[in-house]
Amino acid sequence: MFVAFNLIDKGMLHLLNRYKETISDGPGLRYAIYLAGCSHHCPGCHNPESHNPLGGIELSEEVLRGIIDEINSNPLLDGITLSGGDPFFYPEELLKLVQRLSQECSLPILCYTGYTYEELLADERRAPVLKYLTTLIDGRFVRELRDPSLPFRGSSNQRIIDLRNR
């Protein structure tokens, strides 16, 4: 089943950056997609340029097609990571993106967010995205809880949540 996907009309999701191969954004070798837009503005944020939702370039059909082709042409990838900003900044558009990635790529999807899992579950606009994710790294960055020894997280309040069995 194909999900209609036209982010150009909405003018919403903007791509800040993509890393075709990274070991810093989750377990294994991953393709990381950094989206613009974040309302959390955590003090000490490592990526404050990502707060502007109009930063980067529009995630057009052409750009997305290129990303999907890059993902599918790399047999070494272990997964896809969505980061930012906060990918949940535009939840309806994020839902379309994760549906499309799930349909056209056969890799698990990890997503970073400043929202907690409980906040996402309670939000009818954001909760539907969770069913397409395999892993969620949740919680706002808290400078006082910064711990560089933690894998894939910046502060000790953030959790790595396996969503496959939820």
Side-chain angles (χ1 to χ4, degrees), residues 10 16 30 34 38 43-44 55 57 64-65 72 80-81 84 86 88 96 98-99 104 107 112 124 130-131 139 150 166:
K10 294 229 176 222
L16 282 176
R30 309 189 70 82
Y34 280 71
C38 184
I57 62 170
L64 181 61
R65 180 78 259 146
N72 288 332
I80 300 166
T81 296
D86 192 325
F88 282 91
K96 293 174 189 175
V98 295
Q99 287 172 329
E104 297 191 35
L107 293 171
Y112 284 88
E124 65 185 33
L130 296 172
K131 83 178 214 176
L150 294 171
R166 293 188 184 231

Side-chain angles (χ1 to χ4, degrees), residues 149-163:
S149 71
L150 294 171
F152 313 119
R153 297 168 286 162
S155 58
S156 60
N157 63 299
Q158 296 171 313
R159 302 176 292 180
I160 299 174
I161 302 171
D162 184 343
L163 297 175

Side-chain angles (χ1 to χ4, degrees), residues 65-99:
R65 180 78 259 146
I67 288 172
I68 290 171
D69 290 346
E70 288 173 350
I71 292 169
N72 288 332
S73 69
N74 188 344
L76 301 176
L77 290 175
D78 296 306
I80 300 166
T81 296
L82 301 174
S83 190
D86 192 325
F88 282 91
F89 188 82
Y90 290 120
E92 292 87 0
E93 289 73 23
L94 177 62
L95 178 60
K96 293 174 189 175
L97 175 61
V98 295
Q99 287 172 329

Side-chain angles (χ1 to χ4, degrees), residues 7-101:
L7 295 179
I8 296 172
D9 290 346
K10 294 229 176 222
M12 295 286 194
L13 286 182
H14 279 233
L15 176 69
L16 282 176
N17 208 343
R18 65 181 181 238
Y19 297 94
K20 296 176 185 181
E21 293 182 348
T22 177
I23 57 171
S24 299
D25 294 310
L29 187 65
R30 309 189 70 82
Y31 191 103
I33 300 168
Y34 280 71
L35 300 171
C38 184
S39 58
H40 304 300
H41 303 281
C42 302
C45 174
H46 80 286
N47 201 7
E49 65 277 5
S50 69
H51 298 174
N52 178 359
L54 300 177
I57 62 170
E58 281 191 8
L59 186 56
S60 65
E61 174 60 32
E62 180 181 346
V63 171
L64 181 61
R65 180 78 259 146
I67 288 172
I68 290 171
D69 290 346
E70 288 173 350
I71 292 169
N72 288 332
S73 69
N74 188 344
L76 301 176
L77 290 175
D78 296 306
I80 300 166
T81 296
L82 301 174
S83 190
D86 192 325
F88 282 91
F89 188 82
Y90 290 120
E92 292 87 0
E93 289 73 23
L94 177 62
L95 178 60
K96 293 174 189 175
L97 175 61
V98 295
Q99 287 172 329
R100 182 81 177 269
L101 291 171

